Amino acid sequence: MKTLTELIQNYQNGIPNSDSEILKRMEPLVKGYASRIHCMEREDSTQELYLTLLKTLPYLSSSSSEGECIRYMQTSVENRYRSLCRSC
């Protein structure tokens, strides 16, 4: 099993399916926040948060530690969650 930093590096190098592996690893985080957004359907909020994760991938450095990458993605998802809650 590859580490998250290896998957990020693969994504940045254009290797197919590395983005889907990253999203699978971050699924519990996304589903947790998606279940808290009550003004949208769960599927819609899940898609919004997955898109947020995909947008963060180009900004991550493969030289960063795995914890730093996870924290950056978690912060991005939290910020999007707050934004969606405020818009309702």
Coordinates of all heavy atoms in Angstrom, one line a residue:
M1 N 0.8 -1.2 0.0 CA 0.0 0.0 0.0 C 0.9 1.2 0.0 O 1.8 1.4 0.8 CB -0.9 0.0 1.2 CG -1.8 1.1 1.3 SD -2.8 1.1 2.8 CE -4.4 0.7 2.2
K2 N 0.6 2.1 -0.9 CA 1.4 3.4 -1.0 C 1.0 4.4 0.0 O -0.2 4.4 0.5 CB 1.2 4.0 -2.4 CG 1.8 3.1 -3.5 CD 1.6 3.8 -4.8 CE 2.2 3.0 -5.9 NZ 2.2 3.6 -7.2
T3 N 1.9 5.2 0.4 CA 1.6 6.3 1.4 C 0.9 7.4 0.6 O 0.9 7.5 -0.6 CB 2.9 6.8 2.0 OG1 3.7 7.4 1.0 CG2 3.7 5.7 2.7
L4 N 0.3 8.3 1.4 CA -0.4 9.4 0.9 C 0.5 10.3 0.1 O 0.2 10.8 -1.0 CB -1.1 10.2 2.0 CG -2.1 11.2 1.5 CD1 -3.2 10.7 0.7 CD2 -2.6 12.0 2.7
T5 N 1.7 10.5 0.6 CA 2.7 11.4 -0.1 C 3.1 10.8 -1.5 O 3.3 11.5 -2.5 CB 3.9 11.7 0.7 OG1 4.5 10.5 1.2 CG2 3.6 12.6 1.9
E6 N 3.2 9.5 -1.6 CA 3.5 8.8 -2.8 C 2.3 9.0 -3.8 O 2.5 9.2 -5.0 CB 3.8 7.3 -2.6 CG 5.1 7.0 -1.9 CD 5.3 5.6 -1.6 OE1 4.3 4.8 -1.6 OE2 6.4 5.2 -1.2
L7 N 1.1 8.9 -3.3 CA -0.1 9.0 -4.1 C -0.2 10.5 -4.7 O -0.5 10.7 -5.8 CB -1.3 8.7 -3.4 CG -1.5 7.2 -3.1 CD1 -2.7 7.0 -2.2 CD2 -1.7 6.4 -4.4
I8 N 0.2 11.4 -3.8 CA 0.2 12.8 -4.2 C 1.2 13.1 -5.3 O 1.0 13.7 -6.3 CB 0.4 13.8 -3.0 CG1 -0.8 13.7 -2.1 CG2 0.7 15.2 -3.5 CD1 -0.6 14.4 -0.8
Q9 N 2.4 12.5 -5.1 CA 3.4 12.6 -6.1 C 3.0 12.0 -7.4 O 3.2 12.5 -8.5 CB 4.7 12.0 -5.6 CG 5.9 12.2 -6.5 CD 7.2 11.7 -5.9 OE1 7.2 10.9 -5.0 NE2 8.3 12.1 -6.5
N10 N 2.4 10.8 -7.4 CA 1.9 10.1 -8.6 C 0.8 11.0 -9.3 O 0.8 11.1 -10.5 CB 1.2 8.8 -8.2 CG 2.3 7.8 -7.8 OD1 3.5 7.9 -8.1 ND2 1.9 6.7 -7.2
Y11 N -0.1 11.6 -8.5 CA -1.1 12.5 -9.1 C -0.4 13.7 -9.8 O -0.8 14.0 -10.9 CB -2.0 13.0 -8.0 CG -3.0 14.1 -8.5 CD1 -4.1 13.7 -9.1 CD2 -2.7 15.4 -8.2 CE1 -5.0 14.7 -9.6 CE2 -3.6 16.4 -8.7 CZ -4.7 16.0 -9.4 OH -5.6 17.0 -9.9
Q12 N 0.6 14.3 -9.2 CA 1.2 15.4 -9.8 C 2.1 15.0 -11.0 O 2.3 15.8 -11.9 CB 2.1 16.1 -8.8 CG 1.3 16.8 -7.7 CD 2.1 17.4 -6.6 OE1 3.2 17.1 -6.4 NE2 1.4 18.2 -5.8
N13 N 2.4 13.7 -11.1 CA 3.2 13.2 -12.3 C 2.2 12.7 -13.4 O 2.7 12.3 -14.4 CB 4.1 12.1 -11.9 CG 5.3 12.6 -11.0 OD1 5.7 13.8 -11.1 ND2 5.8 11.8 -10.2
G14 N 0.9 12.7 -13.1 CA -0.1 12.4 -14.1 C -0.4 10.9 -14.2 O -0.9 10.5 -15.2
I15 N -0.1 10.2 -13.2 CA -0.4 8.7 -13.2 C -1.9 8.5 -12.9 O -2.4 9.1 -12.0 CB 0.5 8.0 -12.1 CG1 2.0 8.1 -12.5 CG2 0.0 6.5 -12.0 CD1 2.9 7.5 -11.5
P16 N -2.5 7.8 -13.8 CA -4.0 7.6 -13.7 C -4.4 6.9 -12.4 O -3.7 6.1 -11.9 CB -4.4 6.8 -14.9 CG -3.2 6.4 -15.6 CD -2.0 7.1 -15.0
N17 N -5.6 7.2 -11.9 CA -6.2 6.6 -10.8 C -5.6 6.9 -9.4 O -6.1 6.4 -8.4 CB -6.3 5.1 -10.9 CG -7.2 4.6 -12.1 OD1 -8.1 5.3 -12.4 ND2 -6.8 3.5 -12.7
S18 N -4.6 7.8 -9.4 CA -4.0 8.1 -8.1 C -4.9 9.1 -7.4 O -5.0 9.0 -6.2 CB -2.6 8.7 -8.3 OG -2.7 9.8 -9.2
D19 N -5.7 9.9 -8.1 CA -6.6 10.8 -7.5 C -7.8 10.0 -6.8 O -8.2 10.3 -5.7 CB -7.2 11.8 -8.4 CG -7.8 11.2 -9.7 OD1 -7.6 10.0 -9.9 OD2 -8.5 12.0 -10.4
S20 N -8.2 9.0 -7.4 CA -9.3 8.2 -6.8 C -8.8 7.4 -5.6 O -9.6 7.3 -4.6 CB -9.9 7.2 -7.8 OG -8.9 6.3 -8.2
E21 N -7.6 7.0 -5.5 CA -7.0 6.4 -4.3 C -6.9 7.4 -3.2 O -7.2 7.0 -2.0 CB -5.6 5.8 -4.6 CG -5.6 4.6 -5.5 CD -6.3 3.4 -4.7 OE1 -6.0 3.2 -3.5 OE2 -7.0 2.7 -5.4
I22 N -6.6 8.6 -3.5 CA -6.5 9.7 -2.5 C -7.9 9.9 -1.9 O -8.1 10.0 -0.7 CB -5.9 10.9 -3.0 CG1 -4.4 10.7 -3.4 CG2 -6.0 12.1 -2.0 CD1 -3.8 11.8 -4.2
L23 N -8.9 10.0 -2.8 CA -10.2 10.2 -2.3 C -10.8 9.1 -1.5 O -11.5 9.3 -0.5 CB -11.2 10.5 -3.5 CG -10.9 11.8 -4.3 CD1 -11.9 11.9 -5.5 CD2 -10.9 13.0 -3.4
K24 N -10.4 7.9 -1.8 CA -10.8 6.7 -1.0 C -10.2 6.8 0.4 O -10.9 6.5 1.4 CB -10.4 5.4 -1.7 CG -11.2 5.0 -2.8 CD -10.7 3.7 -3.4 CE -11.4 3.4 -4.7 NZ -10.8 2.1 -5.3
R25 N -9.0 7.3 0.5 CA -8.4 7.4 1.8 C -9.0 8.5 2.6 O -9.0 8.4 3.9 CB -6.9 7.7 1.6 CG -6.1 6.6 1.0 CD -5.2 5.9 2.0 NE -4.4 4.9 1.3 CZ -3.1 5.0 1.0 NH1 -2.4 6.0 1.5 NH2 -2.5 4.0 0.4
M26 N -9.5 9.5 2.0 CA -10.1 10.6 2.7 C -11.6 10.5 2.9 O -12.2 11.4 3.3 CB -9.7 11.9 2.0 CG -8.2 12.2 1.9 SD -7.3 12.1 3.5 CE -7.9 13.6 4.2
E27 N -12.1 9.4 2.5 CA -13.6 9.2 2.5 C -14.2 9.4 3.9 O -15.2 10.0 4.0 CB -13.9 7.8 1.9 CG -15.4 7.6 1.8 CD -15.7 6.2 1.2 OE1 -14.8 5.5 0.9 OE2 -16.9 6.0 1.0
P28 N -13.6 8.9 5.0 CA -14.2 9.1 6.3 C -14.4 10.5 6.7 O -15.4 11.0 7.2 CB -13.3 8.3 7.2 CG -12.6 7.3 6.4 CD -12.5 7.9 5.0
L29 N -13.3 11.3 6.3 CA -13.4 12.7 6.6 C -14.5 13.4 5.9 O -15.3 14.2 6.4 CB -12.0 13.4 6.3 CG -12.0 14.9 6.4 CD1 -11.9 15.3 7.8 CD2 -10.7 15.4 5.6
V30 N -14.6 13.1 4.6 CA -15.6 13.8 3.7 C -17.0 13.3 4.2 O -17.9 14.2 4.3 CB -15.4 13.4 2.3 CG1 -16.6 13.8 1.4 CG2 -14.1 14.0 1.8
K31 N -17.2 12.1 4.4 CA -18.6 11.6 4.8 C -19.0 12.2 6.2 O -20.1 12.4 6.4 CB -18.6 10.1 4.8 CG -18.5 9.5 3.4 CD -19.1 8.2 3.3 CE -19.0 7.7 1.9 NZ -20.2 7.4 1.3
G32 N -18.0 12.4 7.1 CA -18.3 12.9 8.4 C -18.8 14.3 8.3 O -19.8 14.7 8.9
Y33 N -18.1 15.2 7.5 CA -18.6 16.5 7.3 C -19.8 16.6 6.5 O -20.7 17.5 6.7 CB -17.5 17.4 6.7 CG -16.5 17.8 7.8 CD1 -15.2 17.2 7.9 CD2 -16.8 18.9 8.7 CE1 -14.3 17.6 8.8 CE2 -15.9 19.3 9.6 CZ -14.7 18.6 9.7 OH -13.8 19.0 10.7
A34 N -20.0 15.8 5.5 CA -21.2 15.8 4.6 C -22.4 15.5 5.4 O -23.5 16.0 5.1 CB -21.0 14.8 3.4
S35 N -22.3 14.6 6.4 CA -23.5 14.3 7.2 C -24.0 15.4 8.1 O -25.1 15.4 8.5 CB -23.2 13.0 8.0 OG -22.2 13.3 9.0
R36 N -23.1 16.4 8.3 CA -23.5 17.5 9.2 C -24.1 18.7 8.4 O -24.6 19.6 9.0 CB -22.2 18.1 9.9 CG -21.6 17.1 10.8 CD -20.4 17.7 11.4 NE -19.5 16.8 12.0 CZ -18.3 17.0 12.4 NH1 -17.8 18.3 12.4 NH2 -17.5 16.1 12.9
I37 N -24.1 18.6 7.1 CA -24.7 19.7 6.3 C -26.1 19.4 6.1 O -26.4 18.5 5.2 CB -23.9 19.9 5.0 CG1 -22.4 20.2 5.2 CG2 -24.5 21.0 4.2 CD1 -21.6 20.3 4.0
H38 N -27.0 20.0 6.8 CA -28.4 19.7 6.7 C -29.2 20.4 5.6 O -30.3 20.1 5.3 CB -29.1 19.8 8.1 CG -28.4 19.0 9.1 ND1 -28.5 17.6 9.1 CD2 -27.7 19.4 10.2 CE1 -27.8 17.2 10.2 NE2 -27.3 18.2 10.8
C39 N -28.6 21.5 5.1 CA -29.4 22.3 4.1 C -29.2 21.7 2.7 O -29.9 22.2 1.8 CB -28.9 23.7 4.2 SG -27.2 23.9 3.7
M40 N -28.4 20.7 2.5 CA -28.2 20.1 1.2 C -28.4 18.6 1.3 O -28.4 18.1 2.4 CB -26.7 20.3 0.7 CG -26.3 21.7 0.5 SD -24.6 21.9 0.1 CE -24.6 21.2 -1.6
E41 N -28.7 18.0 0.2 CA -28.8 16.5 0.2 C -27.4 16.0 0.5 O -26.4 16.6 0.1 CB -29.3 16.0 -1.1 CG -30.8 16.3 -1.3 CD -31.3 15.7 -2.5 OE1 -30.8 14.6 -2.9 OE2 -32.3 16.2 -3.1
R42 N -27.3 14.8 1.1 CA -26.0 14.3 1.5 C -25.1 14.0 0.3 O -23.9 14.3 0.3 CB -26.3 13.0 2.2 CG -25.0 12.4 2.8 CD -25.3 11.2 3.7 NE -24.0 10.8 4.3 CZ -23.9 10.3 5.5 NH1 -25.0 10.1 6.2 NH2 -22.8 9.9 5.9
E43 N -25.7 13.5 -0.8 CA -24.9 13.3 -2.0 C -24.3 14.5 -2.6 O -23.1 14.6 -3.0 CB -25.8 12.6 -3.1 CG -25.0 12.1 -4.3 CD -25.9 11.4 -5.3 OE1 -26.7 10.5 -4.8 OE2 -25.8 11.7 -6.5
D44 N -25.1 15.6 -2.6 CA -24.6 16.9 -3.1 C -23.5 17.4 -2.2 O -22.4 17.9 -2.7 CB -25.7 17.9 -3.2 CG -26.7 17.6 -4.2 OD1 -26.4 16.8 -5.2 OD2 -27.9 18.0 -4.1
S45 N -23.6 17.4 -0.9 CA -22.6 17.9 0.0 C -21.3 17.0 -0.1 O -20.2 17.5 0.0 CB -23.1 18.0 1.4 OG -23.5 16.7 1.9
T46 N -21.5 15.7 -0.3 CA -20.3 14.8 -0.4 C -19.6 15.2 -1.7 O -18.3 15.3 -1.7 CB -20.8 13.4 -0.5 OG1 -21.5 13.0 0.7 CG2 -19.6 12.4 -0.6
Q47 N -20.3 15.5 -2.8 CA -19.6 15.9 -4.0 C -18.9 17.2 -3.9 O -17.8 17.3 -4.4 CB -20.6 15.9 -5.2 CG -21.1 14.6 -5.6 CD -22.1 14.7 -6.7 OE1 -22.5 15.8 -7.1 NE2 -22.6 13.5 -7.2
E48 N -19.5 18.1 -3.2 CA -18.8 19.4 -3.0 C -17.5 19.3 -2.2 O -16.5 19.9 -2.5 CB -19.8 20.4 -2.2 CG -20.9 20.9 -3.0 CD -20.4 22.0 -3.9 OE1 -19.4 22.7 -3.6 OE2 -21.1 22.2 -4.9
L49 N -17.5 18.4 -1.2 CA -16.3 18.2 -0.4 C -15.3 17.4 -1.1 O -14.1 17.7 -1.0 CB -16.7 17.5 0.9 CG -17.6 18.4 1.8 CD1 -18.0 17.6 3.1 CD2 -17.0 19.7 2.2
Y50 N -15.7 16.5 -2.0 CA -14.7 15.8 -2.8 C -14.1 16.7 -3.8 O -12.8 16.6 -4.0 CB -15.4 14.6 -3.5 CG -15.5 13.3 -2.8 CD1 -16.6 12.6 -2.8 CD2 -14.4 12.8 -2.0 CE1 -16.7 11.4 -2.0 CE2 -14.5 11.7 -1.3 CZ -15.7 11.0 -1.3 OH -15.8 9.8 -0.6
L51 N -14.8 17.6 -4.4 CA -14.3 18.6 -5.3 C -13.3 19.5 -4.6 O -12.2 19.9 -5.1 CB -15.4 19.5 -5.9 CG -16.2 18.8 -7.0 CD1 -17.4 19.7 -7.4 CD2 -15.3 18.5 -8.2
T52 N -13.6 19.8 -3.3 CA -12.6 20.6 -2.5 C -11.3 19.9 -2.4 O -10.2 20.5 -2.5 CB -13.2 21.0 -1.2 OG1 -14.5 21.7 -1.4 CG2 -12.3 21.8 -0.3
L53 N -11.4 18.6 -2.1 CA -10.2 17.8 -2.0 C -9.4 17.8 -3.3 O -8.2 17.9 -3.3 CB -10.5 16.4 -1.5 CG -10.7 16.1 0.0 CD1 -11.1 14.7 0.2 CD2 -9.5 16.5 0.7
L54 N -10.1 17.6 -4.4 CA -9.4 17.5 -5.6 C -8.7 18.9 -6.0 O -7.6 18.9 -6.6 CB -10.4 17.2 -6.8 CG -10.8 15.7 -6.8 CD1 -11.9 15.5 -7.9 CD2 -9.6 14.8 -7.0
K55 N -9.3 20.0 -5.5 CA -8.7 21.3 -5.8 C -7.5 21.5 -4.9 O -6.6 22.3 -5.3 CB -9.7 22.4 -5.5 CG -10.8 22.5 -6.6 CD -11.8 23.6 -6.2 CE -12.9 23.6 -7.2 NZ -13.9 24.6 -6.9
T56 N -7.3 20.8 -3.8 CA -6.2 21.0 -3.0 C -5.0 20.2 -3.5 O -3.8 20.6 -3.1 CB -6.5 20.6 -1.5 OG1 -6.7 19.2 -1.5 CG2 -7.6 21.4 -0.9
L57 N -5.2 19.2 -4.2 CA -4.0 18.3 -4.6 C -2.9 19.0 -5.4 O -1.7 18.8 -5.1 CB -4.6 17.2 -5.5 CG -5.5 16.2 -4.7 CD1 -5.9 15.1 -5.6 CD2 -4.7 15.6 -3.5
P58 N -3.1 20.0 -6.3 CA -2.0 20.6 -6.9 C -1.2 21.5 -6.0 O 0.0 21.8 -6.2 CB -2.7 21.5 -8.0 CG -4.0 21.0 -8.2 CD -4.4 20.3 -6.9
Y59 N -1.7 21.9 -4.8 CA -1.0 22.8 -3.9 C -0.2 22.0 -2.9 O 0.6 22.6 -2.2 CB -2.0 23.7 -3.2 CG -2.7 24.6 -4.1 CD1 -4.1 24.4 -4.4 CD2 -2.1 25.7 -4.6 CE1 -4.7 25.2 -5.3 CE2 -2.8 26.5 -5.5 CZ -4.1 26.3 -5.8 OH -4.7 27.1 -6.7
L60 N -0.4 20.7 -2.8 CA 0.4 19.9 -1.9 C 1.8 19.6 -2.4 O 1.9 19.3 -3.6 CB -0.4 18.6 -1.6 CG -1.7 18.8 -0.9 CD1 -2.4 17.4 -0.8 CD2 -1.5 19.3 0.5
S61 N 2.7 19.6 -1.5 CA 4.1 19.3 -1.9 C 4.4 17.8 -1.5 O 4.1 17.4 -0.4 CB 5.1 20.2 -1.2 OG 6.4 19.8 -1.4
S62 N 5.0 17.1 -2.4 CA 5.3 15.7 -2.1 C 6.5 15.6 -1.1 O 6.7 14.6 -0.6 CB 5.7 15.0 -3.4 OG 6.7 15.6 -4.1
S63 N 7.2 16.7 -0.9 CA 8.2 16.7 0.1 C 7.7 16.9 1.5 O 8.5 16.8 2.5 CB 9.3 17.8 -0.3 OG 8.7 19.1 -0.2
S64 N 6.5 17.3 1.6 CA 5.8 17.5 2.9 C 5.6 16.1 3.6 O 5.5 15.1 2.9 CB 4.5 18.2 2.8 OG 4.7 19.5 2.3
S65 N 5.5 16.1 4.9 CA 5.2 14.9 5.6 C 3.7 14.5 5.3 O 2.9 15.3 4.9 CB 5.4 15.0 7.1 OG 4.5 15.8 7.7
E66 N 3.4 13.3 5.6 CA 2.0 12.8 5.4 C 1.0 13.5 6.3 O -0.1 13.9 5.9 CB 1.9 11.3 5.6 CG 0.6 10.7 5.2 CD 0.6 9.2 5.2 OE1 1.7 8.6 5.1 OE2 -0.5 8.6 5.1
G67 N 1.5 13.8 7.5 CA 0.6 14.5 8.5 C 0.3 15.9 8.0 O -0.8 16.4 8.2
E68 N 1.3 16.6 7.4 CA 1.1 18.0 6.9 C 0.1 17.9 5.8 O -0.8 18.8 5.7 CB 2.4 18.6 6.5 CG 3.4 18.9 7.6 CD 4.7 19.4 7.1 OE1 5.1 19.0 6.0 OE2 5.4 20.1 7.8
C69 N 0.2 17.0 4.9 CA -0.7 16.8 3.8 C -2.2 16.6 4.3 O -3.1 17.2 3.8 CB -0.3 15.7 2.8 SG 1.3 16.1 2.0
I70 N -2.3 15.7 5.2 CA -3.6 15.4 5.8 C -4.2 16.6 6.4 O -5.4 16.9 6.3 CB -3.5 14.2 6.7 CG1 -3.2 12.9 5.9 CG2 -4.8 14.0 7.5 CD1 -2.9 11.7 6.8
R71 N -3.4 17.3 7.2 CA -3.9 18.5 7.9 C -4.3 19.5 6.9 O -5.4 20.2 7.2 CB -2.8 19.0 8.9 CG -3.3 20.1 9.7 CD -4.4 19.6 10.7 NE -4.9 20.8 11.3 CZ -6.1 20.9 11.8 NH1 -6.9 19.8 11.8 NH2 -6.6 21.9 12.4
Y72 N -3.6 19.7 5.9 CA -4.0 20.7 4.8 C -5.3 20.4 4.2 O -6.2 21.2 4.0 CB -2.9 20.8 3.8 CG -3.1 21.9 2.8 CD1 -2.8 23.2 3.0 CD2 -3.7 21.6 1.5 CE1 -3.0 24.2 2.1 CE2 -3.9 22.6 0.6 CZ -3.5 23.9 0.9 OH -3.8 24.9 -0.1
M73 N -5.5 19.1 3.8 CA -6.7 18.6 3.2 C -7.9 18.8 4.2 O -9.0 19.2 3.9 CB -6.6 17.2 2.7 CG -5.7 17.1 1.5 SD -5.8 15.5 0.7 CE -4.6 14.6 1.7
Q74 N -7.6 18.4 5.5 CA -8.7 18.5 6.5 C -9.1 20.0 6.7 O -10.3 20.2 6.8 CB -8.2 17.9 7.8 CG -9.2 18.0 8.9 CD -8.6 17.4 10.2 OE1 -7.5 17.0 10.3 NE2 -9.5 17.3 11.2
T75 N -8.1 20.9 6.7 CA -8.5 22.3 6.9 C -9.3 22.8 5.7 O -10.2 23.6 5.9 CB -7.2 23.1 7.1 OG1 -6.5 22.6 8.2 CG2 -7.5 24.6 7.3
S76 N -8.9 22.4 4.5 CA -9.7 22.8 3.3 C -11.1 22.3 3.4 O -12.1 23.0 3.0 CB -9.0 22.2 2.1 OG -7.7 22.8 1.9
V77 N -11.3 21.0 3.8 CA -12.7 20.5 3.9 C -13.5 21.2 5.0 O -14.6 21.5 4.8 CB -12.6 18.9 4.2 CG1 -14.0 18.4 4.6 CG2 -12.1 18.2 2.9
E78 N -12.8 21.5 6.1 CA -13.5 22.2 7.2 C -13.9 23.6 6.7 O -15.0 24.0 7.0 CB -12.6 22.4 8.4 CG -12.4 21.1 9.2 CD -11.4 21.3 10.3 OE1 -10.8 22.4 10.5 OE2 -11.1 20.3 11.0
N79 N -13.1 24.3 6.0 CA -13.4 25.6 5.5 C -14.5 25.6 4.5 O -15.4 26.4 4.5 CB -12.2 26.3 4.9 CG -11.1 26.7 5.9 OD1 -11.4 26.8 7.1 ND2 -9.9 26.9 5.5
R80 N -14.6 24.6 3.7 CA -15.7 24.4 2.7 C -16.9 24.1 3.4 O -18.0 24.6 3.1 CB -15.3 23.4 1.6 CG -16.3 23.2 0.6 CD -16.5 24.5 -0.2 NE -17.5 24.3 -1.3 CZ -18.2 25.3 -1.7 NH1 -18.0 26.6 -1.3 NH2 -19.2 25.1 -2.6
Y81 N -16.8 23.3 4.4 CA -18.0 22.9 5.2 C -18.6 24.1 5.9 O -19.8 24.4 5.8 CB -17.6 21.9 6.3 CG -18.6 21.8 7.5 CD1 -19.8 21.1 7.3 CD2 -18.3 22.3 8.7 CE1 -20.7 21.0 8.4 CE2 -19.1 22.3 9.8 CZ -20.3 21.6 9.6 OH -21.2 21.5 10.6
R82 N -17.8 25.0 6.5 CA -18.3 26.2 7.1 C -18.9 27.1 6.0 O -19.9 27.8 6.3 CB -17.1 26.9 7.8 CG -16.7 26.2 9.0 CD -15.6 27.0 9.8 NE -15.2 26.2 10.9 CZ -13.9 25.9 11.2 NH1 -13.0 26.3 10.4 NH2 -13.6 25.2 12.2
S83 N -18.3 27.2 4.9 CA -18.8 28.0 3.8 C -20.2 27.6 3.3 O -21.1 28.4 3.1 CB -17.8 28.0 2.6 OG -18.4 28.7 1.5
L84 N -20.3 26.3 3.2 CA -21.6 25.7 2.8 C -22.7 25.9 3.9 O -23.9 26.2 3.6 CB -21.5 24.2 2.5 CG -20.7 23.9 1.2 CD1 -20.5 22.4 1.1 CD2 -21.5 24.4 0.0
C85 N -22.3 25.8 5.1 CA -23.3 26.0 6.2 C -23.7 27.5 6.3 O -24.9 27.8 6.5 CB -22.7 25.6 7.6 SG -22.6 23.8 7.8
R86 N -22.8 28.4 6.0 CA -23.1 29.8 6.1 C -24.0 30.2 4.9 O -24.9 31.1 5.1 CB -21.8 30.7 6.0 CG -21.3 31.1 7.3 CD -20.1 32.0 7.2 NE -19.0 31.1 7.2 CZ -17.9 31.3 6.4 NH1 -17.8 32.2 5.6 NH2 -16.9 30.4 6.5
S87 N -23.9 29.6 3.8 CA -24.7 29.9 2.6 C -26.1 29.5 2.7 O -27.0 29.9 2.0 CB -24.1 29.4 1.3 OG -24.1 28.0 1.3
C88 N -26.4 28.5 3.6 CA -27.7 28.0 3.8 C -28.4 29.0 4.8 O -29.2 29.1 5.4 CB -27.7 26.6 4.4 SG -27.0 25.4 3.2

